[in-house]
Amino acid sequence: HSHHTNVQQATSTRGTALLHATKRNRSTDTSISFRQTTFKIMASDTSAEASEHPEDDIHTGLDDKYWLGHKFGGTSVANADCFQKVADIIENQAKISPGKVMSDGMLVDPQMSIAVVVSAMGGKPKTTDLLLETVSLAAERKDVQPTLEFVTEKHRMCLMGLFPDSEGERDRLLAVVQQDLNNIKDILKTVSLMKWQASRISELVSGFGELWSAQILTAVLRYRQHKRSKGTSESYLRHEYVYLDARRLIIVDEEAIQNGAIDWRSSQAKMKEVYEEEMARIEPSSVLHFVMTGYVATNTQGVATTLQRDGSDYSASILGRLLQANSVTIWTDVNGVLTADPRRVPHAQVVAEVSFNEAMELAYFGAKVIHPKTMQPAISATPYQIPLYIRNTFEPSFPGTRIFSTSTRHEDLDKVVCGFASVENIALVNVEGSGLMGVHGVAKRLFGRLEESNINVILISQASSEHTITFATVASKAAMAKETIEDEFSRELRVNHVQSVDVIAPCAIIAAVGDGMAHTSGVSSRFFSALGDAKINVLAVAQGSSERNISAVVLERDSTRALRAVHAAFRLSHTTIRVGIVGMNDVGESLLRLLEAQRESLRSTFDLELQVCAILPKIDSEVIALVEDDDSGSASIGYNDFEMLNGPIDNTSGRITFNEEKVAQIVPSSGLGSLKKILFRTDYNNHILFDCTNDEEAGKCHAEWLKAGVNIVTANNTGLSGPKLQRDELENAEKRMGKQSAQYLREVTVGGGLPIISTMRSLLQSGDRIRRVDGILSISLSFIMFRVSPPKDILACSKFDEAFSKGAFDGDLSLPADSDIGEACTFSQAVKEAIALGLMEEDPTKDLSNEYTSRILMILARELGMVDFELSDVQGASDKVVESIIHTTVDYQNIPKEMDEEIKKRVDTARSRGCVLRHVASINVQERSVEVKLVEVPDHHVFAVNPPSCECVRFFTHRHMTYPLTIQGPSAGADSTASALLAELLQLMRGKSSPRSVALSRTGSSASLTPSSVGILPPSPK
């Protein structure tokens, strides 16, 4: 808001010498004389403001004075402290008390005047509500004395706090309140006798609260000025605060239109008369300020009345027009106009500027902005329209929102919508029939009858075929609307020209508002795509030719999700993703650290708010969840939060071990079955579970999670390689809701961080035909076979890479420090090293029996349409690394020598043929066969020189016949796998949240894409 703050300060403090004559000279201070008053202006800043907002040039109003309008609502004057805050703001606006709110260091026009409008005291309960309650009680002949006494005490306590050392002033004001209450009692006696709650009496009684507040505020301002000038010899400019009863000047013609209209000619004459009377009473050199009551007025017959709903805001706007004010500021308890209801969209933001039209649209749809009638005097003011400001009494330094004729139109698609609003408790009525098509007068009959029945139509939608007419009304009138239509079209219903009159309720209208939507392509697409991605069905749509508003009717139960979805789609807030993690092994811990480290970067670059809400450390453990899992989406389980609950932290790692605020907690009696319930929230659109295990029990839950709408990013290949019934259930869950089904992202199950599945899909989707896939798919057996049967001259290759890469290759081939890359070792030694490096499953038998590799083959075969294989079939048709392992229980730290000898014999045989032994899996698409073999490959074949713990996959396709397409690289390592899992998440969200503009960040050792800076993954403690 930096630029907007300057503009707001200039326009809301019109007494400052912000004259835009400085456009002529941007580099120097300029002094000009205006009405014998000298102003000093910092030209370098104000010229820029003037060029962008020429309408903000200050002008004189009534009696050639500069006027500023300010209105303070009930919450702003709820108690004594609030009254003092209001007085601070008024004095600061008048530049009496320097610099408490908006000090800009500029000299002030001494003839600037402030016009203040004040509501009745707010708080709980509000004064106006209490007064109206007394009328209701009197009409029912109930005792009103306790309520009146409460009103008296409310004001007495306020006066005690405002005038602690001025008993006389306190008693005077309290006597005014008491006298008015006595008058109210007399009025209520009449109400009680007649048992009639007349609207005139309610209006008269309810208006007293404003009379008291205005008189109290006037007294406070006078009292503060008296205290400032008391006991000092300094010369003070005298400010005269005049209490003004709005009934003296605001005249309402109640017969002009419904709810009345302002009689501007009479009101303007009254304003001039009142002003001249008050000016005659003060010294000529004094500055006059009005403190006027809000809400109340007088009709053309001279009878007291009110301006009804939001009448105080309306009063301020009326007074601003009568005075030809430079601006009117509405002070309330919010920071300005918000992009959505913060109770439903936690990340709603304050909009710096909206146009009058946009504000009216938002106000119509229930946004807490400003009532449309408040804007009417500001819009119709002559010769200048009056900008309105919405600001916060309790945060006066915040610039708030400016409402004026300028719009938010912008070429940037993210800025064309200024906000979203909704109307709840709506019913959708649909009239359908062939007899409506091409028949003149149908709409007139329909809506004419609705008007006769006093049924208000909120939204209308009609297909071009004229087969249906759909409209929305309040749910309470839906039954009446249906009866009215059936009565009007009874004949057409009998002859089946109108087939049905249907009502859908409860519904809600979701509206996107923004002047910038006009003539901007892609807005509707983004709006409805967001609703579609959130799995929200749109029942009806309406848009006017002004293109300022797009309205969609949805079921009321979906309205909160709908608001959040469209709000995030236009980047008015972040897209919140609720994240769960299953399995806190090395991969799970690395993933949690990565999510924590990259959270800020993802928020700023992709507008993604990752919220880790649930963690299941082990399949048989209890769930760790957020302590405060609220709508804000700001809390997230971090690595330290997890370790504090999961066990002692390794002090050698240097991590912080103390956290003042407890973020996470263990959920009692929870487990794998309750994880979905803890993670899933119906008011959120994006839920993701990371399965970092290789556990079959977790794999069995994948289909259930998908059906619940939870997206799964998995490193666990047991789900896709389980029994056929389980695989079919997964496939059905993926297709359950068509394109709106939850996604099952499985790239990591095959190649870890290598793009094997995505490459395969790209080949197939581009029209290529895959004939064969083969390769080294097990990182553990890649390592073991490399160690027992190393290729020749591999050390020379390593030395070349170290020299040629100029430091990018560090020579680490995942070998123990005391191992020689070129020397063969025994099978038992290679297994021990693989276990120590974390390359093998918890049960190494799964690797050595080909179970792990067979599962990967089943997943790849499924992608190729070969779905009839079972795990036992693949394992049965494969070579066993060591046959005896399958039939015995083996201590892998003490493998029998017989196994070493068995492997060494096969290695020596291969070496005698100039080959090395490699563990190779293959899929033959033409023969529809899969197999895993220990193969003798030539010493310089790509499989032979494949580095240890790396995968190497080849695709033989119709287009790649001469040479196969080869993917090779490391797929092991917790950090690498965690990065691949996060990449899958970003791939999932790519269509929902594209990255903001980024730059290539270069350092001495790396390059990365970053908006400003990228969070760095802390070193793993493992």
Side-chain angles (χ1 to χ4, degrees):
H1 289 99
S2 58
H3 166 73
H4 173 66
T5 302
N6 294 333
V7 175
Q8 164 67 13
Q9 291 176 352
T11 55
S12 63
T13 56
R14 294 297 181 179
T16 64
L18 185 57
L19 300 181
H20 299 305
T22 57
K23 298 177 186 178
R24 296 189 300 270
N25 188 345
R26 300 188 61 183
S27 60
T28 62
D29 289 357
T30 304
S31 294
I32 61 176
S33 178
F34 186 75
R35 298 177 62 245
Q36 281 120 29
T37 304
T38 300
F39 304 89
K40 189 172 183 178
I41 312 147
M42 298 306 295
S44 59
D45 291 332
T46 57
S47 61
E49 294 172 3
S51 62
E52 186 154 344
H53 292 290
E55 69 277 6
D56 285 342
D57 291 344
I58 62 174
H59 57 267
T60 58
L62 182 65
D63 195 27
D64 284 338
K65 286 185 170 57
Y66 297 109
W67 292 94
L68 291 176
H70 293 275
K71 181 267 175 178
F72 295 91
T75 55
S76 300
V77 290
N79 53 45
D81 288 340
C82 293
F83 269 101
Q84 295 290 8
K85 289 180 184 295
V86 168
D88 286 339
I89 292 171
I90 293 171
E91 290 175 350
N92 187 270
Q93 293 289 317
K95 297 301 177 182
I96 298 169
S97 180
K100 287 186 179 178
V101 180
M102 292 170 55
S103 64
D104 50 19
M106 297 183 183
L107 299 181
V108 182
D109 177 4
Q111 295 192 13
M112 180 188 68
S113 295
I114 305 292
V116 178
V117 175
V118 62
S119 297
M121 284 183 63
K124 293 183 179 180
K126 299 177 180 178
T127 300
T128 302
D129 292 341
L130 290 169
L131 294 173
L132 287 170
E133 182 184 340
T134 62
V135 181
S136 299
L137 291 171
E140 298 172 4
R141 293 190 174 178
K142 294 182 179 179
D143 188 9
V144 300
Q145 189 60 32
T147 306
L148 293 176
E149 289 178 356
F150 187 90
V151 173
T152 303
E153 183 62 18
K154 184 182 181 77
H155 287 79
R156 190 187 70 81
M157 292 299 296
C158 178
L159 292 170
M160 289 287 290
L162 291 172
F163 305 101
D165 55 355
S166 180
E167 184 176 351
E169 188 67 10
R170 186 171 65 235
D171 292 344
R172 182 187 70 81
L173 290 168
L174 190 59
V176 170
V177 174
Q178 193 61 59
Q179 179 60 46
D180 287 342
L181 287 173
N182 290 335
N183 293 335
I184 290 173
K185 283 183 186 178
D186 294 337
I187 296 171
L188 295 178
K189 288 178 183 177
T190 304
V191 174
S192 180
L193 287 172
M194 298 179 65
K195 290 187 178 180
W196 182 42
Q197 187 176 344
S199 59
R200 283 279 184 223
I201 293 177
S202 296
E203 290 178 352
L204 174 62
V205 172
S206 64
F208 276 94
E210 277 73 14
L211 302 179
W212 301 329
S213 292
Q215 292 179 75
I216 292 172
L217 181 58
T218 305
V220 169
L221 292 166
R222 291 171 178 172
Y223 178 69
R224 286 164 63 111
Q225 175 163 277
H226 175 71
K227 289 187 68 175
R228 277 195 305 273
S229 60
K230 187 177 180 180
T232 178
S233 60
E234 295 183 22
S235 177
Y236 278 87
L237 178 67
R238 184 161 183 79
H239 294 262
E240 292 288 349
Y241 297 97
V242 175
Y243 162 66
L244 180 58
D245 187 340
R247 293 175 294 192
R248 293 175 61 189
L249 60 92
I250 298 181
I251 310 300
V252 178
D253 184 355
E254 294 179 313
E255 297 179 358
I257 59 173
Q258 186 178 5
N259 296 328
I262 304 300
D263 185 338
W264 289 108
R265 185 184 299 273
S266 299
S267 298
Q268 192 69 60
K270 290 283 188 181
M271 180 77 256
K272 184 178 181 182
E273 178 183 329
V274 168
Y275 175 77
E276 290 174 350
E277 287 178 9
E278 298 300 337
M279 284 299 295
R281 295 174 183 172
I282 66 173
E283 298 178 5
S285 60
S286 299
V287 180
L288 176 67
H289 306 293
F290 285 123
V291 180
M292 189 183 82
T293 57
Y295 185 58
V296 295
T298 302
N299 66 15
T300 50
Q301 286 75 43
V303 179
T305 185
T306 67
L307 299 176
Q308 301 181 3
R309 180 188 172 191
D310 291 295
S312 292
D313 289 357
Y314 193 23
S315 299
S317 185
I318 293 168
L319 184 59
R321 173 174 166 174
L322 294 176
L323 295 171
Q324 297 178 6
N326 284 269
S327 69
V328 174
T329 302
I330 310 296
W331 295 88
T332 180
D333 56 353
V334 295
N335 279 337
V337 178
L338 294 168
T339 52
D341 185 346
R343 295 168 298 181
R344 306 176 68 187
V345 183
H347 298 293
Q349 306 169 9
V350 175
V351 186
E353 294 185 349
V354 296
S355 69
F356 285 127
N357 289 327
E358 289 170 328
M360 285 185 181
E361 292 279 0
L362 290 170
Y364 174 80
F365 283 95
K368 189 177 181 181
V369 187
I370 189 170
H371 197 275
K373 70 181 182 183
T374 302
M375 290 178 269
Q376 292 168 6
I379 295 170
S380 61
T382 55
Y384 306 102
Q385 290 183 325
I386 302 172
L388 303 177
Y389 291 89
I390 310 296
R391 298 185 63 189
N392 193 340
T393 306
F394 308 102
E395 197 174 343
S397 60
F398 195 85
T401 299
R402 174 181 183 270
I403 305 175
F404 200 56
S405 55
T406 54
S407 73
T408 57
R409 184 178 288 109
H410 200 284
E411 292 181 359
D412 187 347
L413 192 61
D414 292 336
K415 298 180 181 179
V416 296
V417 174
C418 71
F420 294 90
S422 66
V423 181
E424 311 297 320
N425 201 26
I426 294 297
L428 199 64
V429 182
N430 186 62
V431 184
E432 182 175 350
S434 58
L436 303 178
M437 300 172 65
V439 179
H440 296 291
V442 171
K444 178 182 178 180
R445 289 175 59 194
L446 173 63
F447 295 112
R449 278 300 304 273
L450 292 174
E451 192 275 333
E452 291 175 6
S453 301
N454 198 28
I455 297 172
N456 184 38
V457 175
I458 300 173
L459 174 147
I460 301 172
S461 178
Q462 182 178 17
S464 58
S465 65
E466 301 182 28
H467 186 254
T468 61
I469 299 177
T470 303
F471 67 90
T473 186
V474 293
S476 60
K477 294 290 186 75
M480 183 189 299
K482 179 177 170 65
E483 293 175 5
T484 300
I485 296 168
E486 289 175 341
D487 179 60
E488 176 66 27
F489 292 92
S490 57
R491 184 175 60 181
E492 287 83 352
L493 284 165
R494 283 196 302 271
V495 298
N496 209 32
H497 285 178
V498 173
Q499 274 80 44
S500 62
V501 180
D502 300 318
V503 176
I504 305 173
C507 299
I509 300 175
I510 307 297
V513 176
D515 288 341
M517 294 192 297
H519 313 298
T520 303
S521 59
V523 177
S524 295
S525 171
R526 185 182 290 198
F527 181 78
F528 291 109
S529 293
L531 294 175
D533 289 340
K535 303 177 180 64
I536 295 170
N537 186 36
V538 176
L539 304 175
V541 178
Q543 181 180 12
S545 60
S546 68
E547 302 183 56
R548 186 178 295 117
N549 179 315
I550 301 175
S551 297
V553 182
V554 301
L555 293 175
E556 190 172 87
R557 66 171 181 264
D558 296 331
S559 60
T560 297
R561 278 194 304 124
L563 274 175
R564 292 179 178 181
V566 295
H567 196 265
F570 285 88
R571 285 192 158 150
L572 298 178
S573 63
H574 305 304
T575 299
T576 300
I577 304 174
R578 291 177 62 83
V579 174
I581 300 176
V582 182
M584 290 305 288
N585 45 29
D586 289 351
V587 173
E589 290 190 10
S590 181
L591 175 63
L592 180 59
R593 292 166 63 84
L594 179 62
L595 295 177
E596 186 176 13
Q598 295 296 320
R599 193 179 184 206
E600 179 58 39
S601 176
L602 293 173
R603 186 188 296 120
S604 59
T605 305
F606 292 93
D607 280 320
L608 298 178
E609 182 70 64
L610 295 185
Q611 184 184 21
V612 180
C613 304
I615 295 175
L616 185 68
K618 296 180 180 178
I619 296 302
D620 56 354
S621 66
E622 292 178 314
V623 177
I624 295 174
L626 289 171
V627 172
E628 296 183 2
D629 193 0
D630 54 26
D631 284 342
S632 67
S634 57
S636 181
I637 302 174
Y639 188 72
N640 283 340
D641 303 317
F642 161 71
E643 287 213 336
M644 287 177 68
L645 295 171
N646 199 53
I649 296 179
D650 180 9
N651 290 330
T652 61
S653 68
R655 297 190 301 276
I656 298 173
T657 60
F658 179 75
N659 191 352
E660 292 183 357
E661 296 184 2
K662 187 178 180 182
V663 176
Q665 62 183 348
I666 296 175
V667 181
S669 304
S670 61
L672 185 64
S674 57
L675 182 62
K676 176 188 68 177
K677 182 179 179 181
I678 294 172
L679 176 66
F680 190 82
R681 292 267 299 269
T682 56
D683 47 355
Y684 281 84
N685 299 320
N686 301 291
H687 304 79
I688 290 181
L689 261 176
F690 290 100
D691 187 352
C692 302
T693 71
N694 202 31
D695 192 281
E696 293 184 37
E697 291 301 315
K700 292 176 182 178
C701 295
H702 287 182
E704 177 189 349
W705 295 338
L706 288 172
K707 290 177 183 177
V710 178
N711 300 289
I712 298 176
V713 181
T714 180
N716 183 356
N717 57 29
T718 64
L720 287 165
S721 59
K724 188 175 187 305
L725 182 62
Q726 178 177 307
R727 302 197 305 270
D728 291 344
E729 190 177 3
L730 263 176
E731 183 176 5
N732 292 333
E734 285 187 90
K735 300 176 180 178
R736 181 169 172 262
M737 297 184 67
K739 292 183 178 180
Q740 294 186 342
S741 301
Q743 299 295 300
Y744 191 53
L745 306 180
R746 64 201 75 176
E747 184 75 76
V748 184
T749 61
V750 173
L754 299 181
I756 295 175
I757 291 181
S758 58
T759 300
M760 178 183 291
R761 289 179 175 177
S762 296
L763 290 170
L764 295 172
Q765 291 168 3
S766 64
D768 204 350
R769 296 196 300 274
I770 297 177
R771 296 153 49 216
R772 175 182 173 86
V773 180
D774 63 24
I776 299 173
L777 299 178
S778 169
I779 56 172
S780 57
L781 286 166
S782 169
F783 176 87
I784 290 171
M785 290 298 106
F786 189 96
R787 292 289 287 122
V788 299
S789 183
K792 292 181 179 179
D793 302 325
I794 190 63
L795 190 58
C797 295
S798 179
K799 289 181 178 180
F800 170 79
D801 284 336
E802 287 182 12
F804 189 72
S805 67
K806 298 181 179 180
F809 176 75
D810 62 5
D812 178 13
L813 295 178
S814 300
L815 292 177
D818 57 350
S819 300
D820 189 337
I821 190 173
E823 290 186 2
C825 70
T826 62
F827 173 72
S828 58
Q829 179 62 30
V831 171
K832 290 179 184 179
E833 290 177 358
I835 293 173
L837 291 169
L839 302 178
M840 304 196 78
E841 298 291 317
E842 292 183 11
D843 180 7
T845 303
K846 291 184 178 181
D847 289 300
L848 299 176
S849 66
N850 293 326
E851 177 184 332
Y852 178 80
T853 307
S854 297
R855 290 186 184 276
I856 292 177
L857 280 178
M858 289 183 66
I859 295 171
L860 291 176
R862 178 190 178 91
E863 296 291 327
L864 294 169
M866 301 164 60
V867 297
D868 297 328
F869 293 100
E870 294 292 342
L871 182 63
S872 57
D873 298 334
V874 181
Q875 284 185 278
S878 302
D879 282 349
K880 310 302 182 294
V881 178
V882 180
E883 186 69 30
S884 57
I885 286 180
I886 310 304
H887 308 291
T888 60
T889 301
V890 179
D891 176 6
Y892 289 99
Q893 297 299 323
N894 297 285
I895 294 177
K897 292 183 179 180
E898 293 80 6
M899 295 184 184
D900 283 341
E901 292 173 356
E902 181 181 343
I903 292 295
K904 187 175 185 306
K905 182 178 179 181
R906 298 183 68 171
V907 168
D908 291 343
T909 301
R911 175 57 61 197
S912 66
R913 300 190 180 108
C915 297
V916 295
L917 203 60
R918 291 293 179 264
H919 186 264
V920 180
S922 62
I923 301 174
N924 192 313
V925 178
Q926 291 180 335
E927 296 179 1
R928 303 188 69 79
S929 63
V930 296
E931 61 180 6
V932 183
K933 299 289 185 182
L934 279 178
V935 181
E936 296 179 1
V937 300
D939 208 37
H940 292 90
H941 190 272
V942 64
F943 290 162
V945 297
N946 184 57
S949 73
C950 285
E951 289 189 9
C952 181
V953 181
R954 301 189 302 172
F955 294 96
F956 295 85
T957 75
H958 179 72
R959 295 173 184 161
H960 298 275
M961 296 180 66
T962 306
Y963 299 103
L965 176 64
T966 303
I967 299 175
Q968 183 184 44
S971 65
D975 290 347
S976 174
T977 304
S979 296
L981 290 170
L982 178 57
E984 286 276 79
L985 181 149
L986 295 178
Q987 177 70 18
L988 171 67
M989 299 303 297
R990 185 178 62 176
K992 302 178 182 181
S993 183
S994 57
R996 292 186 183 273
S997 57
V998 294
L1000 186 63
S1001 173
R1002 293 180 176 86
T1003 66
S1005 59
S1006 64
S1008 60
L1009 287 178
T1010 172
S1012 56
S1013 62
V1014 174
I1016 300 173
L1017 179 64
S1020 173
K1022 298 294 178 185

